[in-house]
Amino acid sequence: MEIIQAILIVALAFWMVLDQQGFVITTWFPSIIGMIAGLIMGDVPTAMVIAGTFQLMALGVANIGGSSVPNYGLATLVGIYVALRTTSDIEHAKAIALAVGVPVGMLGIQLDVLGKILNSYVSHAAQKALNEGKFGKMNRIFWIGPLIFGLTTAVPTLLCVIFGDKIVRLLLDVVPKWFTDGLSIAGSMLPVVGIALLLQYMPVKKYLTMLLIGFVISAYLGLPILGIAILGFAFAYYYFTQKINSTPAAAAAGSGNTSVEGDEFDE
Amino acid sequence: MSNAESATNQVTKRDIRSAAIRYMFMACNTFNYENQQAPAVVFGLNKVLRKIHKKDEDYKASLNNHFNYFNTTTWMANLLLGASVAMEQKDGIQSKEAVQAFKTGMMGPLAGVGDTLIWVLYPTIMGSIAGYMGLQGNPTGAIIWLLLNIVFFFFRIKLFDVGHTSGLKLITALGDRLNVFTEAASIMGLTVVGALIPAVVKMNVQLKYQAGEVTLPIQTEILDKIMPALLPAVLTIVVYKLIGSKKIGLTSIIFLIIALALACSYFGILGV
C-alpha cells in the first residue's frame, strides 16, 4: 500500500507540471494538487490544511512572461507526503510540510530554468529533423520536452519519497550557495529575454507612453499587475471607442495588415 | 471553408480537434528561452498541415515558418492557430508571410491581456476561495476550481474551431476595424508589459559603499533613490537592443545572462 501511494505521488508530480503547462485541468496550484494528494494518502482534511497554507502563500505569484516562480505545487505535494508519513496531528503536520516543502519548492525554480535551457536543444533537433525530411523523427523529438519538464518535478519528489527531506537539504548544502543563489538570480533575470522578444513584435515606439506608464505605476507605486491591467484596459477602451466610429468597416487597403487582407482581394 | 480548393485538402472537424488537443497538450511543455512556444505550435499543427501541404518542400517551408518565435497566452493561441490553419488551407504555401504577420501581430497584444486574465485574475480569485476553505480542511473550493478547469478545457477546444471557421472571415470583414482592435489591445498589452519589467525581473545589488564610519547600501540608498527597478529597466533595454541588432544569437544572450548571474553571485554583487 505504501509503495503504491509513493508511486502515485511521484506520478502526480510528473503530471502536475505537464498539466500546468498544457491542459490546465489539475494544474500545479496547491489546492487542487493537495486534494488529489490527500485522496492518494487517504487524509483529505489534513492535506487541505497544508494545501490551503501553501495556496495563500502562492497568491499573486504568477509565472507569466516565461518567469520562474517557486513551485508551490511541488512544495505542497512533498510537504503532504512527508507530513502524513510522519504524524497524524494537524498542527504538527503543517509545520513539517512547511519545513520540507519550502526548500523543495525553491529547488523547483532552478530545475525549471534548467528545463527551459535544455528545451532549446529539443527545438533545434526537431527543426533539423524536419529539414532532413525525417518527419516521424521530428515528432518523436518533441516528446523529450515534456519528459524533461516532468522530470524536473518528479526527480525531487522521488528523492523526498525515498530519503525524506534530508537528501534535499544535503543537496542544497553540498552545492555551493553562490551557485544555487546564482541560478536563482538568473531565474529572476531571464524573463527579460521573453519580455524583450515580445517587445520586438509590439508597437513600442508608437506607444512608448503606455510602456512608461505601466513601468512607473508598477515600480514607483507597487500596484499589483491586475490593477495596472485594468488601467491599461481603460486606456485601450477609450482609444477603441474614439477610433472605431471614425473607421469604415470594409476599407481594407493601406492598413498594417495588408498582407492578410491583400490575399483576400487577389482572389 | 466551402470553396473548391479546400475540398481537395480534406481537413475534417476531427483534424481540427486533434490539432487543438495536440497544441494544448504541448503548449509550454517544450518552452525554451529562444523560440518559446514555437515547437508546440509545430507539434500541434504538423498533422493537419501535412494534409494541406502535399509537397514535402511546401510542408517543410510551412513548418519552418511556424518554428519562428511564438509566445502568447496558450488559451488565446487556439484562436490564432485555428485562423492560421484556415489561411494555409485557403492559399497554400503562398500564405506563409500572411500567417507570420497575423500571428506576430496578434500574439503580443493577446499575451498582455490573456496572461493577466488567465494567470493572474483567475488563480487569484479561485486560489483565495479554495485556499481559505482548505485551511478548514474543506476541499469544496478545490473541487469547484477543478470543475471550472474542465469546462474551460472544452471551451478552449471550441476556440480553436471558432478561429478556424470564422476567425479569418471575421478578420477580413472587420477590415480596418481590426487594426483599431489590435492597436487598442497593444495599448493594454504594453501597459502590462511595462509593469511586468519591475514586477518580474529582479536584480538586488548587495554591495555596500564604505567611507570611514559610513556604510551606504548601494541598492536601497543609491540605486533606488535614482529610480526603483533601475537595473531591470537597463537590462531590458540592453537585451531589447541586442536582439534587435541580430548580431548575437538568442542562445548566446541567455548564456551571457546566466554567466553574469553566476559571476555576480560568486563575487557577492547580486543577491537573491
Side-chain angles (χ1 to χ4, degrees):
Chain A
M1 189 61 195
E2 294 208 349
I3 295 280
I4 297 171
Q5 284 178 332
I7 292 170
L8 285 176
I9 290 287
V10 175
L12 180 60
F14 191 94
W15 168 254
M16 177 174 79
V17 64
L18 299 194
D19 184 84
Q20 172 71 16
Q21 305 194 113
F23 284 154
V24 197
I25 294 173
T26 61
T27 69
W28 65 17
F29 292 111
S31 292
I32 302 177
I33 285 304
M35 181 177 63
I36 302 172
L39 283 174
I40 294 172
M41 301 300 292
D43 186 352
V44 175
T46 312
M48 285 317 295
V49 173
I50 295 170
T53 312
F54 278 113
Q55 182 67 57
L56 296 177
M57 284 168 72
L59 279 187
V61 183
N63 62 328
I64 44 183
S67 61
S68 298
V69 294
N71 192 331
Y72 285 104
L74 183 61
T76 310
L77 191 60
V78 172
I80 288 173
Y81 181 82
V82 177
L84 290 182
R85 275 273 175 276
T86 334
T87 177
S88 54
D89 174 66
I90 284 195
E91 280 311 307
H92 194 199
K94 215 167 102 180
I96 294 176
L98 283 174
V100 179
V102 172
V104 180
M106 301 304 277
L107 188 70
I109 305 182
Q110 281 134 28
L111 293 174
D112 183 61
V113 173
L114 192 67
K116 284 173 181 165
I117 293 169
L118 289 177
N119 263 302
S120 282
Y121 298 101
V122 175
S123 174
H124 286 304
Q127 195 164 8
K128 189 161 164 269
L130 168 71
N131 288 322
E132 286 166 357
K134 295 171 184 159
F135 305 135
K137 186 181 171 197
M138 173 187 75
N139 243 317
R140 286 191 296 278
I141 288 173
F142 283 128
W143 286 99
I144 301 171
L147 183 69
I148 292 172
F149 278 116
L151 288 177
T152 61
T153 45
V155 169
T157 309
L158 183 69
L159 291 177
C160 286
V161 164
I162 298 175
F163 302 104
D165 60 313
K166 288 180 211 75
I167 187 80
V168 177
R169 286 165 193 283
L170 187 77
L171 257 177
L172 290 174
D173 282 346
V174 167
V175 180
K177 191 168 179 331
W178 68 265
F179 190 80
T180 48
D181 278 359
L183 280 182
S184 294
I185 295 168
S188 52
M189 283 167 75
L190 280 173
V192 83
V193 179
I195 290 173
L197 267 170
L198 211 50
L199 287 176
Q200 306 282 336
Y201 297 101
M202 292 174 91
V204 177
K205 291 210 173 72
K206 195 167 172 193
Y207 295 118
L208 187 65
T209 35
M210 295 301 140
L211 194 72
L212 292 177
I213 288 173
F215 180 84
V216 166
I217 295 173
S218 174
Y220 283 83
L221 302 178
L223 209 68
I225 295 285
L226 188 59
I228 299 167
I230 294 171
L231 201 65
F233 176 77
F235 294 137
Y237 185 77
Y238 180 76
Y239 174 90
F240 189 78
T241 47
Q242 290 295 303
K243 276 272 174 165
I244 199 74
N245 295 321
S246 55
T247 311
S255 65
N257 267 347
T258 33
S259 44
V260 179
E261 289 129 18
D263 285 350
E264 272 299 305
F265 280 76
D266 287 341
E267 292 297 312
Chain B
M1 294 294 107
S2 56
N3 61 26
E5 259 179 275
S6 62
T8 55
N9 290 330
Q10 289 170 333
V11 172
T12 60
K13 280 258 175 225
R14 253 185 92 174
D15 295 326
I16 292 301
R17 200 176 338 124
S18 128
I21 292 176
R22 282 172 72 85
Y23 168 72
M24 281 160 68
F25 171 78
M26 209 47 109
C28 289
N29 281 320
T30 45
F31 191 96
N32 60 79
Y33 291 112
E34 222 168 304
N35 55 6
Q36 308 212 330
Q37 289 173 27
V41 174
V42 176
F43 179 82
L45 302 187
N46 65 15
K47 292 270 195 274
V48 67
L49 290 178
R50 178 81 264 207
K51 279 200 160 181
I52 294 170
H53 303 295
K54 295 278 191 285
K55 272 187 271 170
D56 275 5
E57 287 315 305
D58 290 355
Y59 182 57
K60 279 185 198 170
S62 163
L63 288 194
N64 272 318
N65 192 37
H66 284 292
F67 260 115
N68 286 330
Y69 173 79
F70 185 75
N71 188 21
T72 189
T73 312
T74 53
W75 296 28
M76 306 287 180
N78 283 11
L79 210 54
L80 298 188
L81 296 180
S84 303
V85 170
M87 284 160 94
E88 296 202 29
Q89 222 174 322
K90 192 164 168 300
D91 293 330
I93 198 63
Q94 283 88 25
S95 66
K96 202 176 93 174
E97 307 291 320
V99 166
Q100 181 62 16
F102 170 69
K103 273 167 61 193
T104 50
M106 298 297 287
M107 71 180 173
L110 281 183
V113 179
D115 273 4
T116 27
L117 284 179
I118 288 152
W119 295 125
V120 181
L121 183 63
Y122 180 47
T124 306
I125 294 172
M126 289 319 295
S128 9
I129 297 171
Y132 281 112
M133 282 183 154
L135 287 185
Q136 274 107 49
N138 184 348
T140 315
I143 293 169
I144 295 172
W145 195 351
L146 185 65
L147 292 177
L148 273 179
N149 281 343
I150 294 171
V151 172
F152 279 129
F153 178 78
F154 288 105
F155 172 71
R156 285 155 62 204
I157 297 180
K158 187 74 195 150
L159 265 188
F160 198 103
D161 198 37
V162 169
H164 181 247
T165 48
S166 49
L168 209 59
K169 225 186 298 168
L170 203 72
I171 290 155
T172 40
L174 282 173
D176 272 5
R177 279 170 183 248
L178 181 78
N179 284 326
V180 179
F181 176 79
T182 314
E183 298 265 295
S186 298
I187 288 175
M188 179 174 173
L190 279 169
T191 314
V192 174
V193 173
L196 271 184
I197 297 168
V200 171
V201 185
K202 302 269 186 212
M203 293 168 83
N204 278 316
V205 176
Q206 300 290 303
L207 295 180
K208 289 185 173 63
Y209 174 77
Q210 209 138 16
E213 299 274 293
V214 192
T215 51
L216 215 53
I218 290 181
Q219 180 70 50
T220 50
E221 289 301 320
I222 300 176
L223 292 177
D224 286 352
K225 288 276 156 67
I226 302 172
M227 187 176 108
L230 176 67
L231 292 181
V234 172
L235 185 70
T236 311
I237 295 169
V238 170
V239 175
Y240 177 77
K241 293 281 178 203
L242 276 180
I243 294 172
S245 77
K246 296 202 161 60
K247 279 183 192 129
I248 173 168
L250 270 178
T251 323
S252 318
I253 295 177
I254 291 158
F255 279 115
L256 273 177
I257 292 176
I258 295 171
L260 182 72
L262 286 175
C264 285
S265 173
Y266 185 77
F267 293 109
I269 299 169
L270 288 176
V272 182

